[in-house]
Protein backbone atom coordinates (compact mmCIF):
# COMPACT_ATOMS: atom_id res chain seq x y z
CA UNK A 1 0.00 0.00 0.00
CA UNK A 2 1.14 3.52 -0.79
CA UNK A 3 0.24 6.21 1.72
CA UNK A 4 0.09 9.80 0.50
CA UNK A 5 0.35 12.53 3.15
CA UNK A 6 -0.69 16.04 2.18
CA UNK A 7 -0.61 17.48 5.70
CA UNK A 8 -3.03 19.98 7.17
CA UNK A 9 -2.03 23.12 5.26
CA UNK A 10 -5.23 24.98 4.40
CA UNK A 11 -4.27 25.09 0.71
CA UNK A 12 -4.87 22.45 -1.93
CA UNK A 13 -2.13 20.18 -3.27
CA UNK A 14 -4.20 18.67 -6.08
CA UNK A 15 -1.21 18.67 -8.49
CA UNK A 16 0.31 15.73 -6.62
CA UNK A 17 -2.94 13.75 -6.60
CA UNK A 18 -3.49 14.41 -10.30
CA UNK A 19 -0.06 12.94 -11.06
CA UNK A 20 -0.61 9.92 -8.81
CA UNK A 21 -3.98 9.35 -10.49
CA UNK A 22 -2.29 9.55 -13.91
CA UNK A 23 0.31 6.98 -12.85
CA UNK A 24 -2.44 4.64 -11.64
CA UNK A 25 -4.41 5.03 -14.88
CA UNK A 26 -1.21 4.32 -16.83
CA UNK A 27 -0.73 1.13 -14.75
CA UNK A 28 2.62 2.39 -13.50
CA UNK A 29 1.32 2.38 -9.93
CA UNK A 30 -0.61 -0.80 -9.28
CA UNK A 31 -0.70 -0.84 -5.48
CA UNK A 32 -3.58 0.43 -3.38
CA UNK A 33 -3.20 4.16 -2.71
CA UNK A 34 -4.60 5.85 0.39
CA UNK A 35 -4.46 9.63 0.85
CA UNK A 36 -4.62 11.84 3.92
CA UNK A 37 -5.82 14.87 1.98
CA UNK A 38 -6.53 17.55 4.57
CA UNK A 39 -7.94 20.55 2.70
CA UNK A 40 -7.19 19.14 -0.74
CA UNK A 41 -10.50 18.29 -2.40
CA UNK A 42 -10.02 15.69 -5.10
CA UNK A 43 -12.19 12.89 -6.44
CA UNK A 44 -10.85 9.71 -7.98
CA UNK A 45 -12.18 6.23 -8.56
CA UNK A 46 -8.59 4.99 -8.20
CA UNK A 47 -7.59 6.43 -4.85
CA UNK A 48 -9.08 6.14 -1.35
CA UNK A 49 -9.12 9.70 0.00
CA UNK A 50 -9.52 10.57 3.67
CA UNK A 51 -9.84 14.26 4.51
CA UNK A 52 -8.79 14.71 8.13
CA UNK A 53 -7.75 11.77 10.24
CA UNK A 54 -6.26 11.41 13.70
CA UNK A 55 -2.53 11.12 14.31
CA UNK A 56 -3.16 7.59 15.57
CA UNK A 57 -4.82 6.63 12.27
CA UNK A 58 -1.99 8.22 10.27
CA UNK A 59 0.54 6.20 12.27
CA UNK A 60 -1.51 3.03 11.75
CA UNK A 61 -1.57 3.63 7.99
CA UNK A 62 2.17 4.39 7.99
CA UNK A 63 2.84 1.05 9.65
CA UNK A 64 0.95 -0.73 6.84
CA UNK A 65 2.46 1.30 4.00
CA UNK A 66 5.29 0.04 1.83
CA UNK A 67 5.91 3.57 0.54
CA UNK A 68 5.01 7.06 1.73
CA UNK A 69 4.64 9.89 -0.76
CA UNK A 70 4.44 13.14 1.13
CA UNK A 71 4.51 16.90 0.86
CA UNK A 72 7.69 18.55 2.12
CA UNK A 73 6.58 18.95 5.73
CA UNK A 74 9.24 18.03 8.28
CA UNK A 75 6.72 16.23 10.53
CA UNK A 76 5.40 13.97 7.79
CA UNK A 77 8.90 13.16 6.56
CA UNK A 78 10.35 12.46 10.02
CA UNK A 79 7.45 10.34 11.22
CA UNK A 80 7.71 8.19 8.10
CA UNK A 81 11.48 7.85 8.47
CA UNK A 82 11.26 6.87 12.13
CA UNK A 83 8.93 4.06 11.05
CA UNK A 84 11.56 2.87 8.58
CA UNK A 85 9.53 3.71 5.47
CA UNK A 86 10.80 4.59 2.03
CA UNK A 87 9.75 8.16 1.31
CA UNK A 88 9.27 10.25 -1.80
CA UNK A 89 8.77 13.91 -0.88
CA UNK A 90 7.44 16.68 -3.12
CA UNK A 91 7.33 20.30 -1.91
CA UNK A 92 4.20 22.40 -1.93
CA UNK A 93 4.97 25.55 -3.91
CA UNK A 94 4.04 29.17 -3.39
CA UNK A 95 3.55 29.82 -7.13
CA UNK A 96 0.58 27.40 -7.10
CA UNK A 97 -0.80 28.87 -3.86
CA UNK A 98 -0.03 25.62 -2.03
CA UNK A 99 1.96 27.32 0.72
CA UNK A 100 2.89 30.80 1.91
CA UNK A 101 6.50 30.42 0.70
CA UNK A 102 8.86 27.82 -0.78
CA UNK A 103 10.60 26.60 2.37
CA UNK A 104 9.54 23.02 1.57
CA UNK A 105 11.91 23.05 -1.41
CA UNK A 106 14.88 23.38 0.95
CA UNK A 107 13.51 20.81 3.40
CA UNK A 108 13.02 18.22 0.66
CA UNK A 109 16.45 18.94 -0.84
CA UNK A 110 18.18 18.67 2.54
CA UNK A 111 16.64 15.27 3.38
CA UNK A 112 17.39 14.13 -0.19
CA UNK A 113 21.04 15.21 0.02
CA UNK A 114 21.41 13.36 3.32
CA UNK A 115 20.19 10.16 1.63
CA UNK A 116 17.08 9.72 3.80
CA UNK A 117 14.50 10.13 1.03
CA UNK A 118 14.03 10.56 -2.67
CA UNK A 119 13.20 14.23 -2.87
CA UNK A 120 11.87 15.71 -6.08
CA UNK A 121 11.14 19.33 -6.89
CA UNK A 122 8.35 18.78 -9.42
CA UNK A 123 5.38 16.43 -9.58
CA UNK A 124 6.52 15.73 -13.16
CA UNK A 125 9.44 13.80 -11.66
CA UNK A 126 7.20 11.48 -9.62
CA UNK A 127 7.18 8.67 -12.18
CA UNK A 128 10.98 8.54 -12.27
CA UNK A 129 11.18 8.71 -8.46
CA UNK A 130 8.63 5.91 -8.17
CA UNK A 131 10.75 3.74 -10.48
CA UNK A 132 13.89 4.55 -8.46
CA UNK A 133 12.32 3.86 -5.07
CA UNK A 134 12.29 0.10 -5.69
CA UNK A 135 16.11 0.02 -5.68
CA UNK A 136 16.58 2.90 -3.21
CA UNK A 137 18.05 2.04 0.18
CA UNK A 138 17.49 5.02 2.45
CA UNK A 139 20.06 6.02 4.98
CA UNK A 140 18.75 4.91 8.36
CA UNK A 141 17.29 7.83 10.24
CA UNK A 142 18.14 7.90 13.91
CA UNK A 143 16.31 10.31 16.13
CA UNK A 144 19.12 12.37 17.52
CA UNK A 145 18.57 15.91 18.72
CA UNK A 146 22.16 16.90 17.92
CA UNK A 147 21.84 15.78 14.29
CA UNK A 148 18.43 17.43 13.96
CA UNK A 149 19.69 20.72 15.38
CA UNK A 150 22.61 20.62 12.91
CA UNK A 151 20.21 20.02 10.00
CA UNK A 152 17.97 22.88 11.15
CA UNK A 153 20.99 25.19 11.54
CA UNK A 154 22.17 24.29 8.03
CA UNK A 155 18.68 24.98 6.71
CA UNK A 156 18.45 28.36 8.48
CA UNK A 157 21.89 29.38 7.19
CA UNK A 158 20.70 28.81 3.63
CA UNK A 159 17.70 31.11 4.02
Amino acid sequence: MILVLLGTQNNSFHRLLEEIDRLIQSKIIQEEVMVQAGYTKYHSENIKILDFISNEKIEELQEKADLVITHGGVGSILLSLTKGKKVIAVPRLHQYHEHVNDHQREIVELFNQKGYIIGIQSVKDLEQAYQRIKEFTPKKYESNNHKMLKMIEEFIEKI
Side-chain angles (χ1 to χ4, degrees):
M1 187 255 295
I2 297 173
L3 177 62
V4 180
L5 300 174
L6 300 185
T8 56
Q9 235 343 276
N10 64 351
N11 299 315
S12 179
F13 196 16
H14 66 276
R15 289 182 315 118
L16 180 56
L17 295 185
E18 288 170 355
E19 183 61 13
I20 290 170
D21 212 2
R22 185 190 73 76
L23 294 175
I24 293 169
Q25 290 172 23
S26 301
K27 307 283 190 233
I28 293 164
I29 292 178
Q30 297 183 14
E31 298 96 327
E32 173 187 18
V33 177
M34 300 211 36
V35 177
Q36 172 274 315
Y39 286 95
T40 300
K41 302 303 176 207
Y42 187 82
H43 176 74
S44 171
E45 298 296 324
N46 304 312
I47 304 171
K48 181 167 183 175
I49 299 174
L50 306 167
D51 291 335
F52 292 96
I53 55 179
S54 68
N55 288 339
E56 294 79 20
K57 182 67 174 175
I58 289 175
E59 288 189 38
E60 177 186 317
L61 292 171
Q62 280 176 311
E63 291 290 343
K64 293 177 183 176
D66 298 310
L67 168 64
V68 176
I69 300 174
T70 183
H71 69 118
V74 173
S76 296
I77 293 171
L78 286 179
L79 191 55
S80 299
L81 291 176
T82 59
K83 295 197 175 300
K85 300 302 173 178
K86 290 185 177 185
V87 176
I88 297 173
V90 186
R92 290 172 167 268
L93 299 177
H94 176 70
Q95 76 184 72
Y96 299 111
H97 308 290
E98 296 162 347
H99 217 304
V100 295
N101 59 33
D102 284 337
H103 72 279
Q104 286 193 358
R105 281 187 183 275
E106 289 86 12
I107 292 167
V108 168
E109 184 57 30
L110 181 61
F111 278 95
N112 182 67
Q113 286 176 355
K114 300 281 184 187
Y116 295 123
I117 67 170
I118 291 181
I120 58 177
Q121 293 296 319
S122 170
V123 296
K124 293 175 185 165
D125 297 327
L126 184 59
E127 181 176 346
Q128 181 184 16
Y130 178 73
Q131 299 297 341
R132 284 182 50 217
I133 201 76
K134 296 169 188 167
E135 304 301 320
F136 177 69
T137 303
K139 182 177 175 184
K140 183 170 173 34
Y141 177 79
E142 296 176 12
S143 182
N144 181 319
N145 288 343
H146 175 69
K147 285 183 183 177
M148 183 51 60
L149 287 174
K150 184 170 175 50
M151 283 178 66
I152 292 170
E153 286 172 3
E154 289 172 4
F155 174 71
I156 290 171
E157 288 173 8
K158 290 180 181 180
I159 297 178

